[in-house]
Amino acid sequence: MEDPNPLSSSFSDNYLVSSNNSFTGLEDYSVDGENGSLGFMELLGVQDFGPSVLDMLQKPSVQLPNQNQSSTVDQESSEVLNTPATSNFSTISSESCGGGGPNDEQTKELVDEEDEEEEEEEDEEKQKTKKQLKPKKMSQKRQREPRIAFMTKSEVDHLEDGYRWRKYGQKAVKNSPFPRSYYRCTNASCSVKKRIERSLNDPTIVMTTYEGQHTHPSPMMSRANPAAALTPCLGFSTGASTATFMPSPLQMSLSSDQFHCNYSTPLNFGFMGSTNINCAASAHQKRFYTPPSAFITDYGLLQDIVPSIVRKED
DNA sequence: CGATTTTGACCTGCGC
DNA sequence: GCGCAGGTCAAAATCG
């Protein structure tokens, strides 16, 4: 691990990963055409085929499994985050659904799910051998959930996404002064996790990685419209600004020739109805995104945060 | 007093 | 096999 590149630096410098043609490139988005005064969104997709998105992104070059062509980023075209000073918010998505195509690694993991009973027995044995060690249930092979990572320009680490999270860990990241925080959804029946860390390159950028799918409506959204709360979407809001976009219906294409992000499995990470669309989508973006009809105009807490000019009521 | 955060210890996977 | 780094657990501390 003597990579001369700082990890967070390589996140932004080298994270362009193309796979199964589901993603190629990035693009900036003006927010609602307000002369750029509201900043812009930057979107970038990355597909995860096993290792964590961040792990992949931290490599100077990424070799995807089962793919002959290397999908490395040109080192010289490093600055992916081309953030202007006027920007107070930007988001980069890194799609990482496991369903990016038939893949040996994923197949193995699916098979592993069948072994829970055996694992419980193993667990007992381990407890015997390790005696007084904490009775953890760690022997289970971890299942890789679909992941999606975002880079968000924000002053706050923990972006409000409509769900309630409990922090369960924090770790120092090698070569980075910023720790990585681990959160789990507070809903007992929901196993969604997310990691949050700041970019070393640009401390104003928060890298959020979601893992898994919520099995319940957003507490925030459900108060107004439970159906909409279950709609696959991704959303963030900060005290400064808000951006949300939804890969529904399982496919998002942002830019005719530069950005493509295909979701092969349903996602349900975020919250909110039309806020996201109206906030983040310029006319340009709307070409590629059609909101589900279930959406209603419920801004939730965003009503308090996002200027109405951003919400752009229809 | 329950929920959440903090934090050190432990576990796992991977590269060498 | 060993060491490192990432990820998780769980007791203690803190908060509302």
Side-chain angles (χ1 to χ4, degrees), chain A residues 18 28 31 42 53 78 82-83 98 117 121 141 143-144 146 152 161 168 186 194-195 212 215 256 275 279:
Chain A
S18 68
D28 297 349
V31 177
E42 295 176 282
V53 170
S78 55
N82 186 18
T83 308
E117 289 182 13
E121 292 175 11
K141 190 162 188 174
Q143 300 169 27
R144 290 293 186 192
T152 306
D161 58 7
Y168 68 90
T186 57
K194 71 174 179 182
R195 300 183 304 204
T215 59
S256 54
T275 300
C279 169

Side-chain angles (χ1 to χ4, degrees), chain A residues 78 80-81 120 190 218 303:
Chain A
S78 55
V80 178
L81 274 179
E120 282 183 14
C190 182
S218 160
Q303 294 177 120

Side-chain angles (χ1 to χ4, degrees), chain A residues 82-189:
Chain A
N82 186 18
T83 308
T86 54
S87 170
N88 60 4
F89 185 91
S90 71
T91 296
I92 289 176
S93 76
S94 306
E95 200 278 325
S96 58
C97 294
N103 166 316
D104 290 347
E105 292 296 323
Q106 290 162 4
T107 307
K108 279 182 200 166
E109 287 160 7
L110 286 175
V111 171
D112 287 336
E113 291 177 23
E114 315 269 333
D115 298 338
E116 282 188 15
E117 289 182 13
E118 284 182 27
E119 284 161 357
E120 282 183 14
E121 292 175 11
E122 284 179 22
D123 201 32
E124 287 180 15
E125 287 181 14
K126 279 199 174 183
Q127 285 188 25
K128 286 175 189 173
T129 46
K130 300 215 171 182
K131 297 189 176 177
Q132 294 301 346
L133 292 180
K134 292 177 184 175
K136 292 179 181 177
K137 206 175 179 182
M138 298 293 290
S139 60
Q140 289 186 5
K141 190 162 188 174
R142 287 191 193 112
Q143 300 169 27
R144 290 293 186 192
E145 298 284 345
R147 294 185 183 185
I148 182 166
F150 290 84
M151 294 181 74
T152 306
K153 200 169 184 69
S154 171
E155 295 175 2
V156 297
D157 287 343
H158 195 178
L159 305 171
E160 178 58 58
D161 58 7
Y163 289 89
R164 298 185 64 201
W165 301 92
R166 178 177 307 169
K167 190 176 186 177
Y168 68 90
Q170 178 172 305
K171 286 287 289 186
V173 181
K174 193 189 175 193
N175 292 332
S176 173
F178 308 107
R180 176 181 299 154
S181 298
Y182 299 89
Y183 295 85
R184 220 192 312 262
C185 183
T186 57
N187 189 300
S189 62

